Amino acid sequence: MSEIEGSPGSSMHGVTGREPAFASSVASPIVPTDTTANFDLPVDSEHKAKKFKLFSFANPHMRTFHLSWISFFTCFVSTFAAAPLVPIIRDNLNLKKQDIGNAGVASVSGSIFSRLVMGAVCDLLGPRYGCAFLIMLSAPTVFCMSFVKDAGGYIAVRFMIGFSLATFVSCQYWMSTMFNSKIIGLVNGTAAGWGNMGGGATQLIMPLVYDIIRQAGSTPFTAWRIAFFIPGWLHVIMGILVLTLGQDLPDGNLSSLQKKGDVAKDKFAKVLWNAISNYRTWIFVLLYGYSMGVELSTDNVIAEYFYDRFNLKLHTAGIIAATFGMANLLARPFGGYASDKAALLFGMRGRLWVLWILQTLGGVFCIWLGRANSLPIAILAMILFSIGAQAACGATFGIIPFISRRSLGIISGLTGAGGNLGSGLTQLIFFSTSRFSTEAGLSWMGVMIVACTLPVTLVHFPQWGSMFLPPSKDVVKSTEEHYYSSEWNEEEKKKGMHSSSLKFAENSRSERGKRVASAPTPPNSTPSHV
Amino acid sequence: MAAAPRLLLGFLLVLACFSETCFATITFSSLPRTLVVTASHPQRLLKAGEDKITVRWGLNQTLAAGTDSAYKSIKVELCYAPISQVDRAWRKTVDNLSKDKTCQFKIVKGPYTTTNQSSEWTIERDVPTATYFVRAYALDAKDNEVAYGQNTDAKKTTNLFEIQAITGRHVSLDIASVCFSAFSIVALMGFFLAEKRKGIKAQQ
């Protein structure tokens, strides 16, 4: 079944549920290789790569991967570049705690909107220009830091730089044009995690650059402004690399992008309604706000916290803060891996428990971090907190593909937005007022993480059950087919629009865990023409 | 038998001392105010990097002789007034001097002499915009604070002065900023238009 390039959810279409969410290659009988193609990697009939070769830069597939994740990484670097320099900036601009907190909220709020628009931009211009436009048009906003002279300007510039986080969308979109849908889970998960590392890398880079500029003789209040030129140049350099080295499709560029129109397009309003009327969507929006959201909030406050609480030097605080974000390298993939392993044994119930355990542990360690009075304990608590929160992010996306087949793209998008909303909210409540000291704010944030993770106990799938309840006893309702085809009404079913949902349902039986073999195949479930 | 509980008590006392990281915590409230400090400066908003403050300090002559026997050196510091500490926990006043953040800028440090001393200090360029007063600590041979004096009253309401920080901005920085931003936009548009033109030519 051919698909509209880049339509919402198309990057995840093909994740059937049978394979682990993070397969790195797909063998020939499942997806036939196009032997006439002359690429470095084996490709399918659309010339999308079937294999993920991490340390290759070969054109076009792996080169796209690296251009894409490094662009996303760059935007994370610039969005959080101010955070480790706040001890200097707050003195230069005469900021109060509210100003610092509000700027942190602003830095994550902009991308809520820009991510929504980015999908349409990629549809119009293609992901290569989408990425290049965003990264090169946000370069001036980074350079604007040299003009800032008060709290208002600071908040405004951080808000504008935050728009660049929409490169997440172009990154995922671009990969879906280059990689076969059966391995797209691992590819996109790796790109997302490595991009997020930028939030950690910036805590190392910026104090280092600041120190070098100070050694060169600059005064502090000028040195931090000059330091911002580094992320600015990175934006420009990555933009040019994307434009010169990248291409939209395996076979060439945008002009050959043709929309394959032989499948009835799904109506956006219906897809949206299907997403927002599913209560599980909202539970995961909330949950992601307390895994990804708290990760973003912590990126914004942790360097300043260590600097003030333990009287460290700026670059020492930066190194410690960096380990928080850099844990994404392994922690996020680990979460997905743990989710997959639990699914093998216990099915969907295992995935839900893994998510609850990882996220709650993250919350507990966050409480500990706020209460730690000595530096070594605080660092230990922070590292454990980072592993819990980031693994929970990975585990979340081990479950999301199963909430809905029809509205997968929108649910993924809403979840992502929930992450930023959660971040803005926690920064507003706990880190923008003098009511809480930063250590109290961290502990209360930990309490909120534990509390807001409890709703995962309410997520119930009739065909698989929930954390505590077994699957439905009803013969019809307890089938995967019933759940996924109930997203379509009778009229749509008559047109056969639900056929890929049925295929997905059949393959998602693996989410029953070890009970797969004993599950009876209900009669009349799989139409013969699929 | 009576020795055992005493030994235990002694042991606990020693442990308690070590738990204070082997230093006695010096609190501000324990220091006597024996020094007289004055600061003179132009009577207007002072500019960092330009204006000078002349600080004078010496022992309060009304006190008994020998009060200053332990004083070996003096450090004079620029300290935040309460109004500049509001909503800024990184400038908080705490009694434990090792954790106190009231005074963050060193004006001068030198050996203590019984005669009055003065020093002229050009306000450094990393001093932020705020309201300040001047405090001097007398230090003993181990560099521990043993006494203090300040140019304001106990409630820190009199003789305060305001300093205006440098902006940190430079015309050359602003110009460089504009140039790189323009380059970014122009390069993007250039590529886009060039490729569009190539695409149109290929179609013709």
Side-chain angles (χ1 to χ4, degrees):
Chain A
M1 177 190 111
S2 44
E3 298 224 19
I4 312 298
E5 285 287 341
S7 61
S10 60
S11 74
M12 289 295 285
H13 284 175
V15 176
T16 60
R18 168 145 248 143
E19 312 84 358
F22 295 96
S24 65
S25 69
V26 54
S28 259
I30 303 172
V31 174
T33 308
D34 181 345
T35 45
T36 62
N38 194 12
F39 292 107
D40 191 61
L41 297 168
V43 295
D44 63 14
S45 55
E46 289 176 292
H47 292 178
K48 295 186 185 180
K50 287 168 57 184
K51 201 165 153 202
F52 181 48
K53 209 160 135 194
L54 193 53
F55 295 109
S56 153
F57 281 84
N59 210 10
H61 309 96
M62 289 316 299
R63 190 182 289 187
T64 299
F65 171 76
H66 291 295
L67 282 174
S68 205
W69 81 260
I70 297 178
S71 305
F72 184 37
F73 178 94
T74 302
C75 294
F76 249 91
V77 168
S78 58
T79 302
F80 292 99
L85 296 181
V86 163
I88 314 296
I89 301 176
R90 68 190 179 194
D91 277 344
N92 188 189
L93 305 178
N94 204 13
L95 303 177
K96 292 185 164 175
K97 184 160 187 190
Q98 292 87 323
D99 301 323
I100 298 172
N102 288 340
V105 175
S107 66
V108 296
S109 311
S111 69
I112 296 176
F113 309 108
S114 64
R115 284 180 184 195
L116 298 172
V117 172
M118 196 57 178
V121 171
C122 286
D123 276 333
L124 279 174
L125 302 173
R128 181 174 142 253
Y129 268 115
C131 180
F133 260 80
L134 183 58
I135 205 172
M136 290 182 92
L137 289 181
S138 54
T141 63
V142 183
F143 290 119
C144 266
M145 270 297 190
S146 62
F147 295 106
V148 162
K149 56 176 164 51
D150 58 15
Y154 177 63
I155 294 173
V157 171
R158 286 206 71 183
F159 179 68
M160 291 194 294
I161 298 178
F163 277 109
S164 66
L165 285 183
T167 34
F168 173 70
V169 176
S170 67
C171 179
Q172 311 263 290
Y173 192 117
W174 204 0
M175 308 269 224
S176 69
T177 69
M178 291 285 176
F179 290 90
N180 182 275
S181 44
K182 295 219 184 300
I183 57 170
I184 195 66
L186 176 67
V187 175
N188 273 336
T190 310
W194 288 9
N196 281 12
M197 274 201 313
T202 194
Q203 320 264 2
L204 267 177
I205 297 172
M206 295 304 282
L208 194 67
V209 170
Y210 170 78
D211 263 342
I212 293 174
I213 298 172
R214 286 267 289 139
Q215 306 279 21
S218 185
T219 179
F221 292 173
T222 305
W224 76 267
R225 294 168 190 273
I226 301 176
F228 263 85
F229 275 73
I230 303 296
W233 289 333
L234 281 176
H235 271 238
V236 178
I237 292 171
M238 280 317 298
I240 293 178
L241 283 178
V242 161
L243 286 172
T244 52
L245 295 179
Q247 55 190 66
D248 293 293
L249 296 166
D251 293 320
N253 267 327
L254 182 62
S255 46
S256 51
L257 180 69
Q258 276 167 358
K259 295 196 180 209
K260 299 189 178 101
D262 50 33
V263 169
K265 250 196 222 176
D266 203 352
K267 282 215 188 90
F268 177 73
K270 290 225 151 149
V271 173
L272 180 64
W273 175 253
N274 187 44
I276 62 181
S277 56
N278 189 333
Y279 75 94
R280 301 170 194 85
T281 304
W282 299 108
I283 294 183
F284 279 94
V285 167
L286 175 68
L287 244 62
Y288 204 58
Y290 285 90
S291 55
M292 169 57 76
V294 297
E295 182 189 332
L296 298 179
S297 305
T298 310
D299 276 338
N300 259 332
V301 306
I302 197 75
E304 192 191 356
Y305 173 68
F306 275 98
Y307 179 87
D308 286 332
R309 183 103 192 267
F310 300 102
N311 289 324
L312 303 172
K313 287 211 261 281
L314 202 68
H315 66 252
T316 315
I319 293 171
I320 296 173
T323 54
F324 179 82
M326 299 293 273
N328 259 308
L329 178 69
L330 297 171
R332 192 168 168 143
F334 165 72
Y337 175 77
S339 184
D340 282 342
K341 278 281 167 284
L344 272 178
L345 295 168
F346 305 110
M348 178 53 69
R349 177 180 284 187
R351 289 194 192 271
L352 291 167
W353 271 99
V354 161
L355 173 57
W356 182 81
I357 290 171
L358 288 171
Q359 197 156 322
T360 304
L361 276 179
V364 167
F365 290 125
C366 186
I367 298 174
W368 192 24
L369 170 62
R371 298 178 68 93
N373 285 320
S374 77
L375 185 61
I377 305 277
I379 295 178
L380 177 67
M382 182 198 73
I383 291 177
L384 292 172
F385 166 41
S386 75
I387 294 174
Q390 288 158 14
C393 289
T396 306
F397 276 91
I399 301 176
I400 299 246
F402 299 102
I403 299 177
S404 159
R405 175 63 177 69
R406 186 178 187 183
S407 310
L408 176 54
I410 293 203
I411 294 179
S412 301
L414 281 170
T415 307
N420 285 52
L421 270 171
S423 178
L425 195 66
T426 33
Q427 287 182 81
L428 200 61
I429 300 175
F430 299 119
F431 301 108
S432 300
T433 66
S434 290
R435 193 149 159 239
F436 302 108
S437 62
T438 310
E439 56 259 33
L442 284 168
S443 287
W444 282 115
M445 183 167 80
V447 172
M448 201 158 174
I449 295 172
V450 175
C452 291
T453 308
L454 287 174
V456 78
T457 52
L458 300 173
V459 174
H460 179 86
F461 290 92
Q463 68 273 34
W464 300 317
S466 66
M467 276 170 75
F468 298 109
L469 299 172
S472 165
K473 297 265 190 305
D474 185 304
V475 170
V476 174
K477 286 213 186 112
S478 65
T479 63
E480 288 81 359
E481 280 76 8
H482 176 84
Y483 179 82
Y484 289 109
S485 51
S486 61
E487 298 182 320
W488 308 86
N489 62 29
E490 282 312 313
E491 211 186 292
E492 289 157 342
K493 284 190 202 173
K494 278 210 195 92
K495 288 192 209 158
M497 289 170 85
H498 68 310
S499 51
S500 50
S501 286
L502 286 174
K503 193 146 180 254
F504 180 77
E506 196 179 325
N507 286 321
S508 71
R509 256 195 267 292
S510 59
E511 293 308 303
R512 290 177 183 242
K514 282 205 172 130
R515 296 179 294 121
V516 178
S518 58
T521 309
N524 304 320
S525 59
T526 311
S528 53
H529 64 267
V530 167
Chain B
M1 283 307 285
R6 274 206 206 130
L7 260 174
L8 186 62
L9 194 63
F11 181 62
L12 285 172
L13 265 172
V14 170
L15 264 184
C17 285
F18 274 114
S19 76
E20 301 280 72
T21 66
C22 295
F23 301 109
T25 31
I26 309 169
T27 59
F28 182 70
S29 47
S30 69
L31 299 180
R33 187 174 174 171
T34 61
L35 301 172
V36 177
V37 178
T38 55
S40 54
H41 50 80
Q43 287 306 318
R44 51 171 168 76
L45 184 64
L46 301 171
K47 292 215 177 75
E50 289 175 26
D51 288 322
K52 300 190 199 332
I53 303 177
T54 307
V55 188
R56 283 186 192 82
W57 66 93
L59 186 67
N60 187 342
Q61 297 304 319
T62 62
L63 296 172
T67 316
D68 60 350
S69 52
Y71 304 176
K72 293 289 175 267
S73 50
I74 284 275
K75 72 175 174 193
V76 186
E77 293 177 329
L78 189 68
C79 311
Y80 291 108
I83 191 173
S84 291
Q85 295 173 302
V86 173
D87 288 331
R88 295 181 176 91
W90 57 91
R91 296 178 184 171
K92 203 160 151 203
T93 298
V94 169
D95 205 28
N96 180 347
L97 278 181
S98 63
K99 296 204 157 73
D100 181 43
K101 306 249 177 106
T102 319
C103 305
Q104 296 188 11
F105 300 97
K106 190 183 72 163
I107 294 179
V108 68
K109 186 167 182 208
Y112 173 75
T113 61
T114 42
T115 53
N116 288 357
Q117 285 185 291
S118 72
S119 175
E120 196 186 40
W121 182 66
T122 311
I123 304 173
E124 310 240 303
R125 292 169 68 208
D126 60 350
V127 173
T129 301
T131 310
Y132 297 89
F133 64 95
V134 176
R135 180 181 287 169
Y137 286 107
L139 310 167
D140 66 9
K142 293 201 199 105
D143 258 359
N144 292 332
E145 293 85 353
V146 287
Y148 80 99
Q150 57 193 29
N151 77 321
T152 181
D153 62 354
K155 287 213 168 58
K156 298 180 267 189
T157 52
T158 57
N159 293 335
L160 305 174
F161 50 94
E162 281 179 47
I163 297 180
Q164 172 83 27
I166 60 165
T167 60
R169 293 177 57 187
H170 279 278
V171 177
S172 53
L173 264 185
D174 293 347
I175 294 176
S177 223
V178 170
C179 285
F180 284 115
S181 305
F183 171 73
S184 189
I185 299 176
V186 167
L188 176 68
M189 288 307 157
F191 265 105
F192 186 62
L193 293 170
E195 274 202 18
K196 257 212 160 149
R197 219 173 290 146
K198 228 195 320 184
I200 293 173
K201 269 212 193 116
Q203 276 180 6
Q204 280 170 351

